[in-house]
Amino acid sequence: MASLSVPPAPTDPRRDAIDLHRAFKGFGCDTTTVIAILAHRDASQRALIRHQYAAVYHQDLLHRLASELSGHHKRAVLLWVLDPASRDAAILHQALNGDVTDMRAATEVVCSRTPSQLLVVRQAYLARFGGGGLEHDVAGRASGDHQRLLLAYLRSPRYEGPEVVDTAAAARDARELYRAGERRLGTDERTFIRVFAERSAAHMACVAAAYHHMYDRSLEKAVKSETSGNFGFGLLTILRCAESPAKYFAKVLHKAMKGLGTNDTTLIRVVTTRAEVDMLYIKAEYHRSYKRSLADAVHSETSGNYRTFLLSLIGRDR
């Protein structure tokens, strides 16, 4: 479930656009108003606000926000205002073409999304950034088995609906993976790519259970022992998101805030992309795993308007 809280009564996007414009006028920006509006509107409402702002003031709201805000707060708001597909496209483009290539971020986004989501992301990527599209950029930045996994995952039409998994087929896949990895000298990476890229999330979760039952060893440990680097990271992302997306993202957030300093890029990416999806489940898993609320962790690692905005998306603890 989403953590985003929106007003119970329908909002007026034109009124919101006017109030935002007033918040931008004068000396400094009224960030309290900006957060109060944008952090409490869903994707369709934000799209209408952008449309009304452009109609009334002949300016893209994103451009105005970029000129009024700064730092991590600016990065978070600019991502949040986008629709989910455009947001993922922007994250992927930055990860693949930014000053510093971040293949972990690109791999996480690709390997944690459904086929239907990836189709729309690919369309948004091409429409906004042109060139050869997402697959072209992935092929140019990734290499070897990692490249083959990402391209296969982008292209494969995995089933997404309610599913009664064929346990016999899952057991066959578990057996194939065992023979391709732990049973032999060396690893048959192509078998891992085929199974992980072509099977549904429910089927992969069943494969993991079958693997553990048949070989008394977790599939995750097998992947860790048989693969490495970004290729292994991609396989683990697919597997962990198949078993529990909430647990996966709770761990990503914990790592982003663990130790000295905070990985704000990761924190912003996960909060803005999951607030309208499953943040309530992530919060519950975070508290269960780390004996601390996610809101408390974010509060201790951030400050100012940046902190206020993220906590508005996450939802404060009651």
Side-chain angles (χ1 to χ4, degrees), residues 8-31:
T11 57
D12 180 357
R14 188 178 183 87
R15 180 76 260 164
D16 284 343
I18 292 171
D19 288 344
L20 284 170
H21 187 69
R22 286 177 176 170
F24 300 146
K25 293 177 68 175
F27 182 73
C29 175
D30 179 3
T31 54

Side-chain angles (χ1 to χ4, degrees), residues 214-262:
M214 295 163 68
Y215 304 111
D216 196 29
R217 179 174 168 83
S218 73
L219 180 55
E220 179 170 327
K221 287 183 178 178
V223 170
K224 287 180 178 179
S225 67
E226 294 295 324
T227 64
S228 61
N230 288 327
F231 175 52
F233 176 75
L235 294 175
L236 289 172
T237 300
I238 293 169
L239 179 59
R240 289 167 176 168
C241 285
E243 294 182 311
S244 173
K247 185 175 181 179
Y248 172 80
F249 283 109
K251 186 173 183 179
V252 171
L253 287 167
H254 180 67
K255 285 185 176 181
M257 295 182 284
K258 185 181 179 181
L260 185 63
T262 302

Side-chain angles (χ1 to χ4, degrees), residues 186-201:
T187 306
D188 177 7
E189 289 86 358
R190 292 184 183 277
T191 295
F192 276 82
I193 292 170
R194 177 175 54 79
V195 173
F196 276 69
E198 296 179 3
R199 303 299 188 259
S200 69

Side-chain angles (χ1 to χ4, degrees), residues 165-205:
V165 177
D166 183 339
T167 54
R172 285 195 298 270
D173 282 340
R175 191 175 299 110
E176 280 198 57
L177 290 171
Y178 179 70
R179 290 172 176 171
E182 293 187 299
R183 184 179 174 181
R184 58 175 283 169
L185 182 63
T187 306
D188 177 7
E189 289 86 358
R190 292 184 183 277
T191 295
F192 276 82
I193 292 170
R194 177 175 54 79
V195 173
F196 276 69
E198 296 179 3
R199 303 299 188 259
S200 69
H203 185 93
M204 279 306 305

